[in-house]
Amino acid sequence: MRLIHWRWTTLFLTLLLGLLSTVCVAQVLIPARDPGRSILMTGFAVSHPGQLTDINDIALGFPRELARRLERDQQFYVRMTPELLSYDWVLTPPTTKMLAQVAATYDSRYVISGDIIGAGIHTVPSMFGLWEKKYREIDVEISIYDARAGMLIDKFKFTGAAAGDVVVGKDRSFDGEAFRVTPFGKAIDTLIEQAGNTIRTRLITRP
């Protein structure tokens, strides 16, 4: 009986040590979120909504996907708001007072806002005018603010483009695979990935 009891005790201790080891490894692999790396992602302005009637909810879909990329390696904690960083529908540079209010309300150090400048479809003649080729480009400006310091850190402009069948379709969810398999949907997804990498690199080195 004592031998059996000793074996069960040994097995229990072995399992417990293994579990503790796993937890310790997991804590090493998952970086702790620093409060100084908290981000508020706002809704994006759309300068020419008539050019984006074939895309479902890009004003919220774009920042939502960008937030997901920024949270992917768990270096940042991202909150979302559908509101624009503005007192009205026109996206203007926020005041220091407004940034301080946003920082206090959402407990976030950084605020990211964006403006989808345009996404028009152009027809380009080819083969001496015998054929026409459709071309579409999307331009997005993204601003990063240190809300606690009340200042603009940086502003980036990203451009994506596609040719051919560049109409996406409003029935395709912005974050779905059906969206990304379209030429223009893929261009937008690539642009978001580029923006996420650029912003992460810009903020990760800030003290």
Side-chain angles (χ1 to χ4, degrees):
M1 291 294 291
R2 290 181 180 177
L3 181 59
I4 295 174
H5 176 73
W6 179 82
R7 286 177 177 173
W8 278 109
T9 302
T10 303
L11 178 61
F12 174 76
L13 289 174
T14 301
L15 292 173
L16 180 61
L17 289 173
L19 178 61
L20 289 174
S21 176
T22 302
V23 171
C24 290
V25 170
Q27 288 178 342
V28 172
L29 292 176
I30 301 175
R33 280 173 172 150
D34 184 347
R37 291 181 180 173
S38 55
I39 296 172
L40 175 68
M41 186 76 65
T42 68
F44 278 24
V46 180
S47 297
H48 302 283
Q51 295 179 351
L52 290 154
T53 55
D54 62 314
I55 297 180
N56 183 34
D57 198 19
I58 194 170
L60 296 181
F62 194 107
R64 185 174 60 245
E65 280 298 292
L66 180 56
R68 188 175 65 83
R69 311 297 169 93
L70 290 174
E71 276 204 316
R72 190 164 51 196
D73 60 359
Q74 301 191 9
Q75 292 290 334
F76 296 97
Y77 175 58
V78 187
R79 290 184 172 90
M80 286 283 303
T81 176
E83 303 295 332
L84 293 180
L85 188 62
S86 174
Y87 289 119
D88 51 36
W89 290 105
V90 180
L91 195 63
T92 54
T95 62
T96 302
K97 181 180 179 180
M98 183 181 186
L99 288 172
Q101 181 182 348
V102 170
T105 302
Y106 292 94
D107 191 25
S108 297
R109 177 180 178 183
Y110 299 112
V111 179
I112 296 177
S113 68
D115 188 359
I116 300 169
I117 301 170
I121 300 174
H122 306 280
T123 302
V124 181
S126 60
M127 292 293 292
F128 305 103
L130 297 175
W131 303 95
E132 290 183 339
K133 185 177 182 179
K134 289 186 177 180
Y135 177 82
R136 192 175 191 182
E137 187 173 270
I138 181 169
D139 295 312
V140 181
E141 281 188 353
I142 298 177
S143 299
I144 310 173
Y145 299 90
D146 187 327
R148 295 177 185 173
M151 60 181 288
L152 174 70
I153 297 173
D154 221 327
K155 178 179 282 190
F156 299 100
K157 183 176 180 180
F158 300 96
T159 299
D165 185 9
V166 293
V167 176
V168 175
K170 210 169 179 64
D171 58 325
R172 299 173 188 263
S173 175
F174 195 90
D175 57 353
E177 186 61 30
F179 178 88
R180 288 188 289 268
V181 297
T182 66
F184 196 58
K186 183 179 180 181
I188 293 174
D189 188 69
T190 301
L191 186 150
I192 294 173
E193 186 72 21
Q194 179 189 357
N197 291 335
T198 301
I199 293 170
R200 185 185 300 106
T201 301
R202 182 67 178 87
L203 295 182
I204 203 73
T205 55
R206 284 181 61 82

